């Protein structure tokens, strides 16, 4: 697992919707004769970028009913726009009406590494409120290095299988060496297979890509809904182009001012909060696999289960056995959405009886592993973006060991594993280009920042912090469980966001929903 950035917004949204996703087919011969023309911008486009801002998008049918796809060009390196280009995949579903079209609404599900196009086609453009889809062209671009946009690759399927099973709670020097070796092999694989793009997948570069797309779509301002890591991407856009900010919703917000180690430790505490909520619910039910007394007792029993799996992995009906690492990942995957809690209870019950298939299935969903053993590039892109955006949390195993008490205080259940997972960027072949800093985005239009009080992956205090940093930020709070809030069952949240997207009126700062 990687705790540098929140994951799984995409998988949870699609899993809840129960949809089978189809990608764009580049071989389609159906074309749209219309082309996009650049909109006027708040400030002149640099001369070296005019070619990119002046390109025309040729839309085509991409094999999914109602959707069009195209390819956009961007500089590989914005510092050297003439030194090569990158091709980025874009998809849209036009506004359906009734009502006057407002413009384009760009969406991003987070990750980093989640496919925005899959999210668009599988959820946003069919599952967002009808009145929003009626008045916006729903649009997504797979960020550079992700999915259809020249994806980062690092390991083969069998190599990734081995990587996900490495013990991330080492008990001795030999296990520490094995874990460090796994991180090194992962980084070396990324460099070997994706050397050209690795230095150019930062959030800043992706935000610049978004501005090129905004212009090509004909919009003077960017309208955007970003979830999880997508909030950092949206805030970065606002920092770079405050005068071009339209209606921005940042749901499940990150705090850009935090260094990696604090971010990881906060997220560790977030998952502990989510687990305590799950455990409190579980122990009230008959047959809870973690007992029926208290949440603290449930935590002890889960730790005992993990310890047993560490000593002796169990069968799964697959060539892989379920050890502590995969089991932990399976539990973490279910923390993103309370709708997954029944599945987790069943999986834990089965694991106690020696059947690890349920937890393995949850872990596979987290890693986006297909039944044939193929992995999507989610985890590769996730590491690539994380490791270039911020300096590593730890650079040595000794530093991890020293910090273990603070992580285990944050989460007695997950702390040790999260601390060691934070070593993953120590061996990265590309130096980080970003630094933690506050984002003000002076001059931007009102931006809505959404936080969920028991969010595991993006702790609520991050949303409070980001809303306070942004000069035009307004905080919208959901008192509840799960990761992100929009479209998850709260009429109060949905009404506030829909009103903002449709009328431009943000909710009052500090509004709270349950």
């Amino acid at each position: 697992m990687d705790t540098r950035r929140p994951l799984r917004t995409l998988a949870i949204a699609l899993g809840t919707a129960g949809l089978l996703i189809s990608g764009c087919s580049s071989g389609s011969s159906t074309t749209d004769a219309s082309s996009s023309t650049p909109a006027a911008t708040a400030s002149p486009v640099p001369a070296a970028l005019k070619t990119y801002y002046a390109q025309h998008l040729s839309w085509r049918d991409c094999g999914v009913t109602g959707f069009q796809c195209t390819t956009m060009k961007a500089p590989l390196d914005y510092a050297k726009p003439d030194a090569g280009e990158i091709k980025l995949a874009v998809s849209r579903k036009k506004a359906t009406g009734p009502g006057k079209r407002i413009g384009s609404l760009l969406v991003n599900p987070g990750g980093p590494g989640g496919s925005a196009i899959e999210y668009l086609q599988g959820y946003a453009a069919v599952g967002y409120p009808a009145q929003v889809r009626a008045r916006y062209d729903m649009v997504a671009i797979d960020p550079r290095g992700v999915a259809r946009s020249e994806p980062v690759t690092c390991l083969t399927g069998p190599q990734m299988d081995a990587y996900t099973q490495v013990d991330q709670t080492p008990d001795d020097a030999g296990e520490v060496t094995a874990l460090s070796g796994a991180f090194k092999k992962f980084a070396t694989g990324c460099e070997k297979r994706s050397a050209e793009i690795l230095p150019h997948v930062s959030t800043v570069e992706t935000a610049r890509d978004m501005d090129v797309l905004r212009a090509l779509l004909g919009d003077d301002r960017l309208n955007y809904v970003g979830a999880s890591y997508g909030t950092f991407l949206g805030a970065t856009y606002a920092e770079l182009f405050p005068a071009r900010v339209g209606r921005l919703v940042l749901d499940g917000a990150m705090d850009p001012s935090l260094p990696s180690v604090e971010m990881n430790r906060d997220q560790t505490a977030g998952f502990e909060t989510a687990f305590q909520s799950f455990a409190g619910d579980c122990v009230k039910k008959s047959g809870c696999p973690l007992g029926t007394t208290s949440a603290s007792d449930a935590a002890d029993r889960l730790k005992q289960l993990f310890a047993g799996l560490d000593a002796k992995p169990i069968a799964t009906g697959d060539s892989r056995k379920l050890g502590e690492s995969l089991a932990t990942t399976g539990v973490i995957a279910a923390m993103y959405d309370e709708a997954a809690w029944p599945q987790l209870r069943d999986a834990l019950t089965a694991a106690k009886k020696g059947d690890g298939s349920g937890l393995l299935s949850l872990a596979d969903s987290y890693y986006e592993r297909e039944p044939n053993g193929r992995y999507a590039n989610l985890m590769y892109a996730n590491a690539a973006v994380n490791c270039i955006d911020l300096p590593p949390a730890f650079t040595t195993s000794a530093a991890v060991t020293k910090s273990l008490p603070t992580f285990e205080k944050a989460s007695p259940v997950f702390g040790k594993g999260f601390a060691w997972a934070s070593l993953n960027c120590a061996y990265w072949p590309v130096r980080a280009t970003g630094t933690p800093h506050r984002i003000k985005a002076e001059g931007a239009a009102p931006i809505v920042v959404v936080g969920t009080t028991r969010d595991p992956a993006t702790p609520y205090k991050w949303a409070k912090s980001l809303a306070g940093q942004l000069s035009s930020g307004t905080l919208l709070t959901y008192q509840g469980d799960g990761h992100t809030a929009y479209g998850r069952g709260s009429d109060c949240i949905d009404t506030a966001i829909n009103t903002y997207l449709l009328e431009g009126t943000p909710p009052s700062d500090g509004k709270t929903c349950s």
Side-chain angles (χ1 to χ4, degrees), residues 144-159:
R144 50 177 60 209
V146 174
R148 297 163 178 82
S149 294
E150 303 197 17
V152 172
T153 58
C154 300
L155 302 176
T156 66
Q159 287 174 332

Side-chain angles (χ1 to χ4, degrees), residues 283-419:
V283 298
K284 296 175 184 177
K285 303 180 184 299
S286 61
C288 172
L290 299 178
T292 57
T293 55
S294 66
S296 60
D297 181 53
D300 290 339
R301 294 194 180 205
L302 183 61
K303 289 172 66 177
Q304 291 169 11
L305 176 62
F306 287 161
L309 294 172
D310 188 28
K312 187 178 180 180
I314 59 177
T316 62
D318 186 273
S319 60
R320 297 167 294 158
K321 287 191 173 183
L322 184 82
E324 181 183 15
S325 290
L326 284 172
T328 302
T329 302
V331 173
I332 286 170
M335 294 298 98
Y336 284 81
D337 188 347
E338 65 270 29
W341 290 359
Q343 182 183 355
L344 177 58
R345 289 196 302 270
D346 290 345
L348 289 170
T349 298
K352 290 181 67 178
K353 297 177 181 178
D355 176 6
S357 59
L359 285 174
L360 180 64
S361 177
L362 284 166
D364 283 350
S365 72
Y366 182 95
Y367 287 124
E368 290 196 357
R369 183 189 189 273
E370 298 176 5
N372 63 6
R374 180 185 177 275
Y375 287 80
N377 95 304
L378 169 72
M379 299 307 296
Y380 311 139
N382 183 268
V385 177
N386 287 341
C387 295
I388 199 170
D389 271 353
L390 288 176
F394 302 114
T395 57
T396 66
S397 59
V400 179
T401 300
K402 184 177 180 180
S403 292
L404 280 176
T406 63
F407 275 79
E408 291 182 305
K409 181 179 179 180
S411 174
V413 178
F414 305 115
K416 185 177 181 180
F418 274 39

